[in-house]
Amino acid sequence: NTTQDTTFEYDGSSWTAGGNMNVGRKYQAGFGILTAGAVCGGNGSPGNRTETEEYNGTSWTTSGALNTGRETNDAAGGTQTAAITFGGENPGTDKLTNSEEYNGTSWSEVNDLNTATKRNSGGGTSVPTTLSLGGQSSTSPPGTAQVEQYNGTSWVTSASMATARSQIGKTQGNSASALVNNGANASDTYIVTTEEFTGETSALNIKTITTS
């Protein structure tokens, strides 16, 4: 139950220490890739953090601040210069709906989640392919199966997971194809199951109509 400022990098077989963050924190959200990554929010002395830190593969640099300090949120986006964070909690609000988009410099408020949620998981290879999965919601406090998709403008409710879960590991993939695993279920029991998400698809079904 303490904050950390250390970083470790993985090369496919082992972990090595990287540069330390400027602010120790816990329950933060992250996005980007190893040599162009970032974290935002989280909990650290004194309380919820607003600042973003960007990683260049060697060291961390402080960047734009969130409009709303938060922890237990998640974030998505395939790059350091285009990301979205959503949900979470802070001392004033137990579960948040608001979302913010990042352009590499600053955060801007965008449309809210449909359901206030904390401890949710996020995934997306770009901002318009973002998913928010599970968490503890305003309608299902222990854990929810809800899934919402962000289309670049607004959040739309999608097919629910088979198992209600919160405190999930990072979702891999995006709104077309994703993988989620582990977490705690609605009874607050840790689970080991994995689920795959397949986005909606459409195809032409053309037939020739003849008349007589």
Side-chain angles (χ1 to χ4, degrees), residues 25-31 38-42 72-76 85 170:
R25 61 183 90 193
K26 60 184 178 181
Y27 308 141
Q28 72 271 18
F31 55 92
V39 297
C40 63
T72 70
N73 53 307
D74 210 340
T85 188
K170 190 73 173 178

Side-chain angles (χ1 to χ4, degrees), residues 22-72:
N22 296 286
V23 177
R25 61 183 90 193
K26 60 184 178 181
Y27 308 141
Q28 72 271 18
F31 55 92
I33 60 174
L34 176 63
T35 56
V39 297
C40 63
N43 182 283
S45 180
N48 291 128
R49 310 303 307 189
T50 60
E51 67 270 77
T52 302
E53 292 195 39
E54 297 183 351
Y55 191 64
N56 61 10
T58 304
S59 59
W60 292 90
T61 302
T62 301
S63 186
L66 292 166
N67 295 283
T68 302
R70 63 184 78 198
E71 60 181 286
T72 70

Side-chain angles (χ1 to χ4, degrees), residues 72-76 86-88 113 117-124 130-136 144 146-148 155 161 165-172 179-183:
T72 70
N73 53 307
D74 210 340
F86 39 91
L113 290 166
T117 308
K118 67 180 181 181
R119 301 184 180 182
N120 49 322
S121 178
T130 294
L131 288 172
S132 173
L133 299 94
Q136 297 177 0
T144 180
Q146 71 182 13
V147 176
E148 295 190 35
W155 292 92
M161 292 183 291
R165 60 181 82 201
S166 67
Q167 305 173 64
I168 310 166
K170 190 73 173 178
T171 298
Q172 303 300 316
L179 179 72
V180 66
N181 60 279
N182 299 99

Side-chain angles (χ1 to χ4, degrees), residues 62-141:
T62 301
S63 186
L66 292 166
N67 295 283
T68 302
R70 63 184 78 198
E71 60 181 286
T72 70
N73 53 307
D74 210 340
T79 70
Q80 195 180 53
T81 58
I84 183 171
T85 188
F86 39 91
E89 61 189 301
N90 61 33
T93 307
D94 180 52
K95 300 175 184 73
L96 296 167
T97 58
N98 66 318
S99 303
E100 301 184 35
E101 282 193 36
Y102 185 64
N103 61 10
T105 304
S106 59
W107 293 89
S108 301
E109 292 280 352
V110 293
N111 285 321
D112 292 349
L113 290 166
N114 293 288
T115 304
T117 308
K118 67 180 181 181
R119 301 184 180 182
N120 49 322
S121 178
T125 50
S126 66
V127 171
T129 64
T130 294
L131 288 172
S132 173
L133 299 94
Q136 297 177 0
S137 75
S138 54
T139 57
S140 183

